[in-house]
Amino acid sequence: MASTDALSNVTKSLKKFADGFTTGQKAVVLVGIAIVVAIVFVVSSMTSKPTYGVLFTNLSASDAGSITTKLASAGVPYQLADSGSVIEVPQNMVDQERIAMAQAGLPANSTVGLSLLSSVGITTSQITQQADYQAALQGQLEQTIEAINGVQTAQVNLALPPTDVFAVGGNQTPTASVIVTLNNGVTLSSTQVQAIVHLVASAIPNMNAKGVTVVDQNGDVLAAPGQGITGTGSSSATQAYDNTMEASLQSMLDSVLGPNQANVRVSATLNYNQVTTKSQQIPTIKGKPQSALTQSNTQTQTFTGNGTVAGGTLGAVTPVAGNGTKSNYKQSSANNSYAVGQVDQTTVQAPGQVQRLSVAVAVNSKLKGGYSLAKIKNMVAAAAGIVAKRGDTLSVVALPFATQTAAPAAATSPFSSIFSIGKILLLVLGVVGAILLMARSSARTEIEPLFLDAGAPTMALGPGDETQLMPALSMPTAQPIVADDVLDYIDKQPDDVAKLLRIWMGSRGTR
């Protein structure tokens, strides 16, 4: 019974509160409430939208259809991307749904890597075994490359020579090609491309890193035989070199000329090709090749007897004095072998060498102090390492600098964070509350005429005065007249106030 009376009292209070509004005020309140409801709906829809994560990638059409059917039957929201080969679900449900799909045997074609060899039978032909082994290696490498940060999917194609001992040309070198699909806004640095190349080359026997080609989804060649590793990080490395050089030169000029009195720009051309140089040198001593004795051979032969040496032995022969006299024969020979010194040198030039450097310096022409442009140019050339024979250029000019003005503050979105959205809601609610209070207070003010209207009795004045009628004036009865309101009324209707004063003065004079 008490609850019924309380509900009735609340209903009467609300009805009384609503009856205090005019039709226009009620319309304003309804419009304000509608705006608040619309803002709350938009904010709630923006904040309640779930964040989706990748469930599976690189799916076939049959697997994608089976997975989406399973998700739809379980009431799990999902999104399709990349022409249906990628399925996304709410981020907080990714792990749970992967387990559920694995229990259901989905995707059916998910057997990749070395686990593919577990289904190979003993009766499989050698060609089939070779193909399965190659597919297993490709899948295992794809999973390894996809673990790199920024790589969404990877596809590896191997060209392996036949392993048959009777195959012709068994000395062929294996090669590989890799296609990587990167996440939005992600670029691979030269170090990351080099990591992919060496991962593939190290996993395949007898494969050289120079035989690996890496391409991204846009068709840009990141690494190729004969081209080396260029990668998308080459431009970033060049930009980093330019920024470092600019900061160094700018700091030097600011310390000499003062802040904001010079502006430096650097543009460098770097060579990322890795060059290997092999050279051979022979050391010399006073212009003669340096040699060392490696072998010495000496031979001596002596003959004693009558007549000449049998067989006509060559050598220094003592002439025969006469028949029956003695003859002597002696032969000596020496053979020395010398080795000439030789030095083999291999020089590998690291990529990133400066091929050409261009530096431009603008100096404020209004700078006081009598600085010489020639001295500034010499100073900058020494600090930047300008080499004229290399084709480097340096330009130093004096120009009037524009007056610097304060940059306008960056515009931020009112819905950039939940905190800002909450402040907007509080502001709207405050405005609506103020409108309600003002409408309620104005509705309670009752207006009644201050002066008599045309049908009311007239006020008689003294002898000789005319009876005058004053226009009706409405004044609030529930609240006292404020001085500011009176002054405003006097400013707006001075004639009526003058007539009123004359009537009051006349009535006081007749007393």
Side-chain angles (χ1 to χ4, degrees):
M1 184 68 179
S3 60
T4 306
D5 293 339
L7 181 61
S8 177
N9 293 333
V10 172
T11 304
K12 291 180 180 179
S13 300
L14 293 176
K15 183 178 181 182
K16 184 178 179 181
F17 181 79
D19 292 340
F21 294 95
T22 62
T23 304
Q25 293 170 349
K26 291 180 180 179
V28 172
V29 172
L30 291 177
V31 170
I33 294 175
I35 293 175
V36 173
V37 172
I39 293 176
V40 171
F41 176 76
V42 172
V43 172
S44 62
S45 62
M46 292 174 59
T47 56
S48 62
K49 185 177 180 180
T51 302
Y52 282 81
V54 177
L55 181 63
F56 293 110
T57 61
N58 199 18
L59 293 173
S60 62
S62 59
D63 287 340
S66 301
I67 293 175
T68 53
T69 302
K70 189 73 175 179
L71 293 175
S73 61
V76 178
Y78 64 88
Q79 291 181 350
L80 297 177
D82 197 9
S83 302
S85 61
V86 177
I87 298 179
E88 299 175 351
V89 296
Q91 187 66 44
N92 57 348
M93 303 178 67
V94 172
D95 298 335
Q96 179 182 354
E97 291 305 318
R98 282 181 181 174
I99 296 175
M101 294 302 155
Q103 292 177 350
L106 295 174
N109 298 330
S110 61
T111 304
V112 294
L114 297 178
S115 59
L116 182 65
L117 300 178
S118 60
S119 60
V120 177
I122 59 175
T123 59
T124 307
S125 63
Q126 184 177 0
I127 297 177
T128 305
Q129 291 179 357
Q130 177 70 15
D132 292 340
Y133 174 72
Q134 181 171 337
L137 283 179
Q138 293 177 170
Q140 194 72 23
L141 288 172
E142 290 171 359
Q143 292 181 345
T144 304
I145 296 173
E146 289 173 359
I148 297 177
N149 187 22
V151 178
Q152 183 177 356
T153 59
Q155 181 178 352
V156 179
N157 299 318
L158 300 177
L160 303 179
T163 57
D164 190 359
V165 295
F166 299 103
V168 178
N171 57 351
Q172 296 179 0
T173 303
T175 57
S177 62
V178 181
I179 301 177
V180 291
T181 302
L182 307 178
N183 295 329
N184 294 331
V186 175
T187 56
L188 294 180
S189 63
S190 300
T191 305
Q192 291 175 314
V193 176
Q194 187 176 9
I196 294 175
V197 170
H198 287 286
L199 279 174
V200 176
S202 301
I204 308 301
N206 302 325
M207 177 175 286
N208 194 328
K210 297 180 180 180
V212 180
T213 302
V214 182
V215 182
D216 63 6
Q217 74 273 20
N218 298 322
D220 297 331
V221 179
L222 307 182
Q227 180 178 342
I229 298 175
T230 57
T232 54
S234 301
S235 58
S236 61
T238 303
Q239 185 65 34
Y241 178 85
D242 294 345
N243 295 338
T244 303
M245 181 64 70
E246 287 179 3
S248 177
L249 297 177
Q250 189 69 51
S251 176
M252 180 186 64
L253 292 176
D254 288 344
S255 61
V256 175
L257 305 179
N260 302 324
Q261 298 299 330
N263 199 346
V264 182
R265 290 293 181 269
V266 176
S267 177
T269 302
L270 304 183
N271 186 3
Y272 291 95
N273 296 329
Q274 185 173 358
V275 180
T276 302
T277 304
K278 295 182 179 181
S279 60
Q280 295 180 349
Q281 296 179 356
I282 299 177
T284 59
I285 299 178
K286 296 182 179 181
K288 296 181 179 181
Q290 183 179 357
S291 60
L293 180 63
T294 59
Q295 184 178 3
S296 178
N297 184 14
T298 303
Q299 181 180 1
T300 302
Q301 184 177 4
T302 302
F303 174 78
T304 300
N306 297 325
T308 59
V309 181
T313 304
L314 297 178
V317 180
T318 303
V320 180
N323 194 13
T325 61
K326 296 182 180 180
S327 61
N328 295 325
Y329 167 78
K330 184 179 181 181
Q331 179 182 7
S332 298
S333 63
N335 185 12
N336 297 327
S337 298
Y338 293 88
V340 180
Q342 180 176 327
V343 178
D344 296 335
Q345 184 178 3
T346 301
T347 304
V348 179
Q349 183 178 358
Q353 299 294 326
V354 178
Q355 189 172 357
R356 187 174 180 272
L357 184 63
S358 299
V359 180
V361 180
V363 181
N364 190 2
S365 60
K366 300 179 181 179
L367 180 64
K368 298 180 180 179
Y371 294 97
S372 173
L373 294 181
K375 294 182 179 179
I376 296 176
K377 186 174 182 180
N378 294 334
M379 179 176 59
V380 173
I386 299 296
V387 180
K389 296 181 179 180
R390 192 174 57 189
D392 298 350
T393 58
L394 172 61
S395 176
V396 179
V397 295
L399 297 172
F401 281 19
T403 304
Q404 297 182 356
T405 57
T412 58
S413 174
F415 300 101
S416 59
S417 63
I418 301 299
F419 182 71
S420 60
I421 296 176
K423 291 194 296 183
I424 294 175
L425 287 178
L426 291 177
L427 179 61
V428 173
L429 292 176
V431 172
V432 173
I435 293 175
L436 292 175
L437 293 177
M438 293 175 61
R440 182 61 179 169
S441 62
S442 61
R444 291 180 178 178
T445 303
E446 297 180 359
I447 305 301
E448 62 180 11
L450 178 62
F451 300 105
L452 299 177
D453 55 7
T458 61
M459 181 181 294
L461 301 178
D465 294 337
E466 297 180 354
T467 301
Q468 300 180 5
L469 295 178
M470 293 299 296
L473 176 64
S474 298
M475 296 295 291
T477 59
Q479 297 179 356
I481 300 177
V482 185
D484 294 336
D485 297 335
V486 175
L487 294 177
D488 293 338
Y489 180 78
I490 293 174
D491 293 337
K492 294 179 180 179
Q493 299 182 2
D495 297 334
D496 296 340
V497 174
K499 292 179 181 180
L500 178 61
L501 292 177
R502 284 197 298 270
I503 293 173
W504 284 351
M505 296 299 294
S507 62
R508 292 177 64 86
T510 57
R511 292 179 182 179

